[in-house]
Amino acid sequence: MRTRHVNLLITLVAVVLFSFSCFCISRMTQTSNQLTNCRNHISEFKQSILRLKNKTERNRQELLNAFKEMKLDISEKEHDAKNAVEKKVNASDTNETVSDAFEVLKFFFPHLRKVDRIYPDVIMGREKTGVTFALGIPTVNRGNYSYLKQTLTSILSRMTLPEEKDSVVIVSIADSNENYVKSVVDMITKKFKRQVTSGSLEVISIPAYFYPNISHAAGSTDDSEKLESWRIKQVLDFCFLMLYAQPKAMYYLQLEDDIIANKMYLTKITDFVHTITSNNWLYIEFSVLGFIGKLFKSEDLTDFVRFFLMFYKNKPVDLLLGDIFLVKMCTPGEALEKCIERNKHIRIRYRPSLFQHVGIQSSYPGREQYFKDIYY
């Protein structure tokens, strides 16, 4: 009986061991399969990482190549602009249309008839044409004072990008001092590089040979003669700038180098011009001060310049601007009051003024001025 129990126990133990062995073998097989799957996943993950790394490297190379191309393009543009600063424009290089605009000067100044082609000494920019607005800013050396950077910052920052593309701002250096010319060019190149590169900002220098012999007044000790010389030169500076700008745009806006502009000034000018139903106007005043903020149709500029050159020795340019109306618009024997009333539809004033005079140190040496536009 005892032997039977022992055999039964041994059989039970054998069954248990066999079952446990089967269970262990099954678990080991599952674990092996899991390990195999895990290795496969790891291998696939490594391959994915490798593909991603290769793709990232390709993208990095493409970006580097794109940045190199952009850098090269910017360098070429800066190189072109820098070369333009140093360039002396001669007759064979200049644009025929722009160049011919100066031919009218030879009628008034015999000394210019010996000059083959009249053109600015220095040009910085891309000689942009075919735009709606050309904005002219003459500048001269005021000694230790300068308002030009403030003026350009105000004028350019208050344009929209579409307005900037459809405009060209022309700074005309009316001074033969080479150090001053270089200082203006350096300042504009540094502070307004984007506008110069895009062609929205140009700098020209009026050649010294342009001016007739007025040096006797400039060298005089008589203050009245010095003032007369200064006024004569100022009229001539405006004339040269207007002739240069005339072929570039549909409208010409005369500014000065010591002013600031109202917000959205060019948008307001555009909208106002579009509201004028008649095309019979000669100019529009966007400031009541002097020659600031006067808008002309470019097609009329040559006529204005001719009139200014006939009387440049007699009156300042802003007074000549008023005289041209009396000559062109008033009929003989007509009452002056009637003529002036009719001219309100031709000599148009916009309110409020869009430009304010901020300079205190005058371009006339040693003179201070505090003129302000009360309608600004």
Side-chain angles (χ1 to χ4, degrees):
M1 185 69 179
R2 181 178 297 174
T3 301
R4 184 178 177 185
H5 284 188
V6 170
N7 290 337
L8 183 61
L9 181 61
I10 293 172
T11 301
L12 181 61
V13 170
V15 170
V16 170
L17 290 174
F18 177 79
S19 298
F20 180 75
S21 298
C22 290
F23 173 78
C24 288
I25 291 172
S26 175
R27 293 298 297 174
M28 288 176 66
T29 301
Q30 291 178 2
T31 301
S32 177
N33 291 338
Q34 289 176 350
L35 288 173
T36 300
N37 291 335
C38 185
R39 282 195 296 269
N40 291 337
H41 287 310
I42 291 172
S43 178
E44 291 176 0
F45 180 74
K46 287 181 177 180
Q47 292 177 359
S48 298
I49 291 296
L50 183 60
R51 286 195 297 270
L52 182 61
K53 181 180 178 181
N54 292 335
K55 186 176 181 180
T56 301
E57 181 63 22
R58 287 197 301 272
N59 290 340
R60 190 179 72 86
Q61 290 296 331
E62 290 175 358
L63 284 173
L64 286 175
N65 292 334
F67 280 128
K68 287 179 181 178
E69 292 178 0
M70 291 172 62
K71 186 177 180 180
L72 180 61
D73 184 58
I74 291 172
S75 297
E76 290 176 351
K77 289 181 178 179
E78 290 180 353
H79 180 69
D80 290 342
K82 184 177 180 180
N83 285 344
V85 174
E86 305 295 337
K87 181 176 67 175
K88 296 289 182 179
V89 183
N90 47 39
S92 60
D93 296 328
T94 56
N95 178 280
E96 290 292 334
T97 303
V98 176
S99 214
D100 289 343
F102 292 102
E103 290 299 301
V104 65
L105 296 173
K106 295 182 178 181
F107 177 81
F108 295 94
F109 303 125
H111 74 282
L112 294 178
R113 295 170 192 169
K114 299 177 182 179
V115 180
D116 182 30
R117 197 64 67 90
I118 305 169
Y119 210 70
D121 271 345
V122 177
I123 293 181
M124 182 173 71
R126 298 189 173 275
E127 300 187 62
K128 193 175 182 181
T129 59
V131 296
T132 299
F133 292 99
L135 293 74
I137 304 176
T139 186
V140 294
N141 189 355
R142 299 173 190 253
N144 295 327
Y145 299 87
S146 178
Y147 307 97
L148 181 60
K149 183 167 70 173
Q150 178 186 8
T151 295
L152 287 175
T153 300
S154 177
I155 293 297
L156 293 169
S157 67
R158 289 176 175 176
M159 287 183 181
T160 64
L161 285 178
E163 288 171 348
E164 185 179 306
K165 291 180 180 179
D166 196 29
S167 305
V168 56
V169 177
I170 307 164
V171 176
S172 176
I173 305 175
D175 200 298
S176 59
N177 186 303
E178 292 185 1
N179 291 331
Y180 178 69
V181 173
K182 185 178 184 304
S183 70
V184 172
V185 170
D186 289 346
M187 182 275 289
I188 290 177
T189 303
K190 181 179 179 181
K191 297 294 184 181
F192 305 99
K193 182 188 297 185
R194 180 181 63 80
Q195 290 85 353
V196 172
T197 302
S198 69
S200 298
L201 177 59
E202 294 185 9
V203 181
I204 67 171
S205 176
I206 301 178
Y209 66 76
F210 160 65
Y211 300 99
N213 186 16
I214 55 175
S215 58
H216 65 283
S220 172
T221 57
D222 190 316
D223 289 341
S224 63
E225 289 187 3
K226 287 183 177 180
L227 182 60
E228 178 188 2
S229 176
W230 172 77
R231 285 174 174 168
I232 288 174
K233 180 182 177 298
Q234 190 177 60
V235 177
L236 298 179
D237 294 343
F238 286 127
C239 289
F240 193 96
L241 177 53
M242 294 170 85
L243 289 176
Y244 177 79
Q246 191 269 334
K248 290 178 168 292
M250 184 181 302
Y251 301 103
Y252 174 73
L253 180 64
Q254 181 65 62
L255 300 173
E256 294 188 9
D257 65 346
D258 57 351
I259 59 100
I260 58 172
N262 208 328
K263 293 179 180 178
M264 299 180 64
Y265 71 95
L266 203 52
T267 302
K268 295 173 182 176
I269 290 175
T270 303
D271 292 343
F272 184 71
V273 171
H274 288 163
T275 64
I276 302 175
T277 56
S278 172
N279 197 41
N280 196 33
W281 55 273
L282 284 184
Y283 74 83
I284 304 173
E285 294 183 283
F286 292 96
S287 172
V288 298
L289 293 180
F291 209 36
I292 298 171
K294 306 302 186 281
L295 183 75
F296 303 87
K297 289 174 286 189
S298 292
E299 62 189 25
D300 296 335
L301 285 179
T302 304
D303 289 339
F304 278 98
V305 169
R306 287 194 183 104
F307 188 86
F308 296 155
L309 292 178
M310 281 191 286
F311 304 102
Y312 73 95
K313 293 182 180 180
N314 303 107
K315 291 184 179 181
V317 69
D318 53 329
L319 297 184
L320 291 176
L321 195 59
D323 290 344
I324 195 171
F325 282 93
L326 300 179
V327 174
K328 289 179 68 71
M329 310 311 301
C330 296
T331 59
E334 181 182 23
L336 181 61
E337 294 78 8
K338 184 177 180 181
C339 179
I340 294 175
E341 180 63 29
R342 188 172 69 253
N343 282 345
K344 290 180 180 179
H345 303 287
I346 300 168
R347 182 180 179 176
I348 303 172
R349 288 182 174 177
Y350 177 89
R351 294 290 184 273
S353 296
L354 298 181
F355 305 97
Q356 180 62 283
H357 181 262
V358 295
I360 295 176
Q361 180 63 44
S362 172
S363 57
Y364 181 72
R367 183 180 181 183
E368 293 184 351
Q369 54 191 10
Y370 298 88
F371 304 121
K372 295 294 180 183
D373 191 328
I374 62 173
Y375 298 103
Y376 180 78

